[in-house]
Amino acid sequence: MTEETVVDKKKKTFFHHDSKLYRDEHRAALLMIVLPVIGFTVFTLLPLIYSIFASFTNWNGLGEMTFTGWRNFQLMIKDNYFWQTLGNTFYLMLGIPIGLILSFLLASALSRGLKGTTFFRVIYYIPVISSLAAIAIMWQWAYNGDYGLVNQVLALVGIKGPNWLQNVHTVKPAIIAMSVWKGLGYSMLLYLAAIQSVPKSFYEAADLDGANAFQKFKNITWPMCRPVTFFLIITNVIGGSQIFTEINIMTPTGGPEYSSATIVWYIWQKAFKNFQMGYASAMSMILGILIFIITALQFYVNRKSDYKLS
Amino acid sequence: MKIWKKLGLVALSAMMVLGMAACGSKSSSADSKKHTITFMYRGGEDEKKAYGQAIKQFEKTHKDVKVKIIVTSADNYATKLQAAISGNKVPDVFYIEQNNLLAYVNNGVLKDISKEVKKSNVDLDNIWSYGVNSYRTNGKIVGKGPLYGLPKDVGPMSLGYNKTMFEKNNIPLPDKDKPYTWDQFIEVAKKLTKDTNGDGKIDQYATGFNVNWSLQAFVWSNGGDWTNKNKTKVTINTPQFAEALQYFADFQNKYHITPSAKEAQSLDTYQRWMKGELAFFPVGPWDLSTYNKLKFDYDLMPWPAGKTGKSATYVGSLGIGVSNKTKYSQDAVELAEYLSTNKKAQKTLVDAGVQIPNLKDMAQIWADDKSLKPANREEFLQIVNDYGRAMPAATTYNSEWYDVFMTDIQPVLDGKVTAKEYVKKEQPKMQTKLDAANQQLKATAQK
């Protein structure tokens, strides 16, 4: 027997399902997988099922549940605050396109290899790694009507700024501006990676064809970044639907006349303050379904977004 | 070694370590027969420290009990407690907020401690009846029925004035027994509102009342109220109520004796008061430890009186309740009794400046003590004993109906909507929510 045949034999047994090594590794792999699966089941799946059930009951979170069928959902239709907070939540999502455009522009600027790129990358990324609570408190001060940073800067150019967080008309734009600022660095970094990974040959080919800068942007850069845009929209919409921390810190009572109360904030109020855990569960069901539909729609619209070289 | 075996070994040894640890703790507790009860409470730094001290004293008199403390910030307390209850991990002893009493009792969270308290030699007559009655309920209304807790404290909200500022401006000090009329109050307030450094900007104001904590005094003393006595009907759309609310809003819009919402945001009125730039400010017993360190002299006075001619304000309270599921009910009740009624514990807490004594005789001695500040501490006792009331939503099933009122109120305070229009528009909204709360109460009470 030559050495080669020995190796061949070993190879065979290695891939053979009955081999001891295979079984051992298989077991080990299972063990590794089991942990997150248990975690998911205990902390996500079971509470989800429980919550689905609770949404059909009148339950105060303390005592017994009484089954009430669709009653919670009927109540919801008539609940003005439900619609208002849902509307507020979507209003706040206006920040998503703004944030994407800004971060794309920034990424384009930074990808030109100017001096100090690294410095700016770090600067823009700092808000991303900072604690959201700390940022919310800082912006709360910045928005202060009298001595806040924002109004002081406006005063320099002769504009008398409003009392941002206490005014029905300005509180939502104020929060949008904050979340755009906070999310900028993250989106920018992803765009930067996408832009830099576009093969140079594409641009060279376009140059040969006499394409101008706008055409190159429209036909090369932007399409090549589409998967990133898609990813960012999906994650931002999901995150935006669940916006809570900054609301609860900057406007702890839901803002003037509930103008900054979001749906998750309202759900939390109902569940933990007003003993309506059943109703709160029902609202979170609706929210979950809404997010699911929106995400599914986006996947449908973007089904051709995968770029293939061939 | 095979991976599988390696992993198995690691798991086995981990289990052994855990097992040994478990055995270890078991055997040591069996030796001394010590058992642990948990106590969950909340408070600011001073309060946490004072209660920690009182609990240590309790452990000294109860050698077999170890008290495990869970302490939260005031904001987080309600959420954390409810999570603990939902998760079936109710602490043995915990603070109860007044407006949660009905829900907790009707859902079997709180233990009826009437018998235990009766058996022990706690003299309930020597405790503020407002405090004790706040934790009695028959499941439908608060104030009657079995006892489900003892007062941790009672919190009369009095009105303080900056004595130094009055003296500087040669204004006679407020009478401690005869409240200002509303007109007198405005008159004095106008004199005290001024620009002290001549920069053209007013920097000394008379008032800086937060609507959440001060409107009650004006509404009640004018004969208005949020609901009828049975808490079934929202009664904000009465002329007395509207008048009081308008008067309150006019502080800012008509009389200009209070910083505007915008000015108040830049330096909130609490800070202004502490800097000595406000003449009047609400004072609760928990404020004393802070206010006594201020650079100016202050004292307490009755709230200005509206049409009824009588001062009014609210008394808050927190209770200490025992879990219905506790394994050590004897010790748990004793801990509640100790914190609420024991002389030594009360002295620790009062000395820390975080509350007034729960015991009437002790409170009188405290109020008469000439060495303490502010001089008119008697006002606190009068509020608790005589003219203080519970907050509007303290005894309803939830506070949603009342929160609506405060959520929408800013336009009135800004002078964009008159009080009359507001109460007319808000009443139906609040009524719907109150009806819903009462219905929920009914549903749980029937069980």
Side-chain angles (χ1 to χ4, degrees):
Chain A
M1 241 198 276
T2 58
E3 256 183 62
E4 272 172 50
T5 47
V6 174
V7 173
D8 266 339
K9 238 187 184 171
K10 263 192 179 168
K11 245 187 194 167
K12 241 182 201 165
T13 46
F14 182 84
F15 289 110
H16 198 270
H17 284 205
D18 290 337
S19 89
K20 203 165 159 9
L21 181 60
Y22 177 86
R23 264 183 289 138
D24 283 344
E25 296 221 317
H26 201 71
R27 276 205 201 117
L30 268 181
L31 208 72
M32 303 280 184
I33 295 168
V34 152
L35 276 176
V37 169
I38 290 177
F40 173 76
T41 316
V42 173
F43 294 112
T44 309
L45 194 62
L46 290 180
L48 178 69
I49 295 168
Y50 196 70
S51 171
I52 293 176
F53 179 71
S55 64
F56 291 101
T57 64
N58 181 6
W59 181 39
N60 55 18
L62 304 169
E64 290 160 21
M65 299 173 170
T66 38
F67 191 78
T68 52
W70 295 98
R71 209 181 112 77
N72 283 333
F73 297 91
Q74 287 160 354
L75 283 176
M76 216 181 295
I77 294 171
K78 282 190 242 151
D79 183 353
N80 288 337
Y81 282 141
F82 169 71
W83 294 109
Q84 193 188 348
T85 51
L86 198 62
N88 287 346
T89 310
F90 282 114
Y91 188 119
L92 291 176
M93 283 191 209
L94 287 179
I96 297 173
I98 301 172
L100 288 189
I101 292 168
L102 282 179
S103 52
F104 186 81
L105 290 178
L106 271 176
S108 313
L110 287 183
S111 68
R112 294 182 170 237
L114 301 171
K115 260 191 185 170
T117 307
T118 326
F119 175 73
F120 282 109
R121 255 196 326 230
V122 170
I123 292 289
Y124 284 115
Y125 208 70
I126 284 177
V128 182
I129 54 165
S130 310
S131 133
L132 184 52
I135 284 182
I137 291 171
M138 193 186 83
W139 277 83
Q140 195 180 16
W141 287 334
Y143 281 136
N144 184 303
D146 234 2
Y147 292 100
L149 189 66
V150 175
N151 279 0
Q152 283 199 351
V153 171
L154 287 178
L156 289 181
V157 290
I159 300 172
K160 194 165 177 286
N163 192 356
W164 294 93
L165 296 177
Q166 303 294 320
N167 184 317
V168 182
H169 304 293
T170 55
V171 61
K172 279 190 286 261
I175 291 174
I176 288 176
M178 188 206 86
S179 24
V180 166
W181 177 82
K182 157 97 175 144
L184 212 53
Y186 177 70
S187 316
M188 183 201 71
L189 210 67
L190 290 185
Y191 270 133
L192 197 59
I195 290 173
Q196 284 175 345
S197 68
V198 178
K200 287 267 180 320
S201 55
F202 285 21
Y203 294 110
E204 286 160 10
D207 282 336
L208 282 180
D209 290 341
N212 63 25
F214 178 72
Q215 281 169 326
K216 276 191 276 184
F217 163 78
K218 192 186 148 227
N219 294 317
I220 301 175
T221 318
W222 183 244
M224 289 298 281
C225 291
R226 259 184 90 173
V228 170
T229 311
F230 178 58
F231 169 78
L232 284 175
I233 290 177
I234 297 263
T235 48
N236 277 341
V237 167
I238 293 174
S241 324
Q242 300 170 347
I243 181 171
F244 171 79
T245 312
E246 46 274 63
I247 304 298
N248 196 37
I249 289 174
M250 292 168 81
T251 56
T253 55
E257 296 162 70
Y258 252 46
S259 52
S260 64
T262 59
I263 184 75
V264 173
W265 186 85
Y266 185 52
I267 289 173
W268 171 75
Q269 282 272 316
K270 280 282 185 188
F272 290 103
K273 208 173 156 219
N274 295 315
F275 301 112
Q276 296 170 34
M277 196 64 94
Y279 185 62
S281 300
M283 284 195 284
S284 25
M285 282 306 115
I286 294 295
L287 177 66
I289 292 169
L290 271 179
I291 296 179
F292 180 80
I293 292 175
I294 295 171
T295 312
L297 259 177
Q298 285 168 337
F299 266 102
Y300 180 75
V301 172
N302 276 277
R303 63 196 181 283
K304 283 186 214 136
S305 81
D306 280 341
Y307 180 79
K308 290 191 184 74
L309 269 178
S310 54
Chain B
M1 215 194 276
K2 300 285 180 313
I3 294 169
W4 178 239
K5 272 191 183 164
K6 262 190 199 168
L7 277 173
L9 249 174
V10 170
L12 262 177
S13 45
M15 258 150 56
M16 259 170 67
V17 171
L18 283 175
M20 284 192 302
C23 290
S25 62
K26 230 182 230 163
S27 59
S28 75
S29 67
D31 282 347
S32 57
K33 278 183 188 160
K34 227 178 180 176
H35 49 263
T36 306
I37 57 175
T38 48
F39 173 49
M40 182 160 162
Y41 72 110
R42 64 167 211 209
E45 282 312 312
D46 290 351
E47 226 170 329
K48 282 182 194 168
K49 232 193 273 162
Y51 273 83
Q53 235 177 319
I55 287 163
K56 276 214 187 97
Q57 292 163 5
F58 173 81
E59 283 177 329
K60 265 182 207 155
T61 57
H62 292 70
K63 293 273 188 240
D64 53 340
V65 184
K66 191 174 170 351
V67 181
K68 192 180 148 211
I69 292 172
I70 307 169
V71 56
T72 78
S73 69
D75 295 344
N76 281 337
Y77 184 76
T79 311
K80 284 208 171 140
L81 180 60
Q82 187 159 14
I85 294 169
S86 302
N88 229 344
K89 284 202 129 204
V90 193
D92 296 296
V93 186
F94 53 94
Y95 279 6
I96 27 178
E97 292 172 10
Q98 278 177 301
N99 55 353
N100 291 345
L101 183 77
L102 281 168
Y104 285 174
V105 167
N106 288 348
N107 290 293
V109 176
L110 281 171
K111 185 179 162 60
D112 174 359
I113 57 170
S114 318
K115 264 191 214 149
E116 284 83 351
V117 172
K118 207 168 185 186
K119 241 188 259 163
S120 67
N121 42 16
V122 170
D123 179 12
L124 284 183
D125 291 334
N126 192 27
I127 305 172
W128 302 113
S129 52
Y130 173 84
V132 177
N133 289 338
S134 290
Y135 305 99
R136 285 188 191 283
T137 179
N138 53 15
K140 289 183 195 106
I141 53 168
V142 176
K144 276 182 198 159
L147 193 63
Y148 285 93
L150 288 166
K152 169 246 161 192
D153 69 352
V154 289
M157 191 54 116
S158 184
L159 183 62
Y161 65 93
N162 183 331
K163 207 169 157 184
T164 313
M165 193 193 284
F166 268 76
E167 282 159 355
K168 230 187 236 167
N169 289 280
N170 290 322
I171 295 171
L173 299 180
D175 192 306
K176 69 181 172 63
D177 294 316
K178 204 170 146 254
Y180 283 137
T181 64
W182 281 4
D183 290 339
Q184 284 169 339
F185 182 65
I186 295 292
E187 206 179 299
V188 173
K190 275 183 173 164
K191 278 184 209 158
L192 289 166
T193 303
K194 57 180 171 185
D195 171 13
T196 52
N197 57 9
D199 66 352
K201 250 185 154 178
I202 290 176
D203 46 33
Q204 174 179 301
Y205 283 99
T207 67
F209 294 141
N210 179 320
V211 64
N212 287 288
W213 312 113
S214 310
L215 180 62
Q216 297 82 359
F218 294 95
V219 168
W220 288 335
S221 82
N222 205 39
D225 202 348
W226 272 259
T227 65
N228 60 355
K229 219 174 166 202
N230 299 335
K231 302 277 175 192
T232 54
K233 214 170 164 297
V234 176
T235 57
I236 60 166
N237 50 348
T238 59
Q240 301 96 302
F241 193 107
E243 190 185 20
L245 178 56
Q246 193 60 58
Y247 178 70
F248 188 88
D250 285 346
F251 287 167
Q252 182 188 320
N253 302 310
K254 192 169 157 193
Y255 306 118
H256 309 290
I257 54 170
T258 196
S260 70
K262 198 168 160 183
E263 288 163 318
Q265 200 199 13
S266 62
L267 186 60
D268 75 36
T269 52
Y270 178 68
Q271 302 292 341
R272 285 174 195 261
W273 160 258
M274 301 227 285
K275 280 175 77 182
E277 292 171 6
L278 283 186
F280 303 100
F281 203 70
V283 178
W286 51 87
D287 290 321
L288 298 188
S289 63
T290 309
Y291 292 176
N292 282 345
K293 288 177 210 143
L294 296 178
K295 277 184 197 138
F296 58 88
D297 220 4
Y298 74 105
D299 206 354
L300 305 180
M301 61 184 272
W303 286 83
K307 267 192 190 141
T308 60
K310 279 186 189 148
S311 211
T313 185
Y314 63 87
V315 195
S317 177
L318 261 182
I320 305 176
V322 173
S323 161
N324 216 357
K325 290 186 182 139
T326 178
K327 274 192 224 152
Y328 307 105
S329 59
Q330 181 71 25
D331 298 317
V333 174
E334 275 173 25
L335 176 61
E337 285 172 355
Y338 185 84
L339 293 174
S340 174
T341 66
N342 182 283
K343 278 220 161 95
K344 197 174 167 197
Q346 285 293 305
K347 190 168 175 345
T348 307
L349 300 173
V350 174
D351 286 350
V354 294
Q355 67 182 66
I356 68 169
N358 282 340
L359 307 167
K360 286 183 192 168
D361 51 0
M362 206 170 148
Q364 199 55 55
I365 295 169
W366 172 77
D368 292 341
D369 188 339
K370 291 272 186 303
S371 69
L372 295 172
K373 260 186 19 168
N376 186 22
R377 287 184 310 285
E378 179 73 28
E379 197 68 41
F380 280 141
L381 307 196
Q382 283 173 10
I383 293 170
V384 180
N385 243 348
D386 180 21
Y387 67 88
R389 308 188 197 183
M391 276 291 227
T395 57
T396 50
Y397 187 76
N398 64 36
S399 61
E400 221 181 348
W401 65 275
Y402 179 75
D403 293 343
V404 172
F405 180 87
M406 292 300 180
T407 300
D408 295 342
I409 205 160
Q410 197 59 41
V412 184
L413 303 181
D414 292 342
K416 288 179 193 144
V417 176
T418 65
K420 220 171 152 190
E421 287 163 357
Y422 182 71
V423 294
K424 207 172 148 199
K425 199 187 83 200
E426 277 315 273
Q427 195 276 342
K429 266 194 189 172
M430 293 167 68
Q431 186 67 53
T432 320
K433 300 257 176 213
L434 182 62
D435 288 345
N438 281 332
Q439 221 162 16
Q440 266 187 305
L441 171 62
K442 229 175 164 184
T444 54
Q446 275 162 359
K447 269 177 209 158

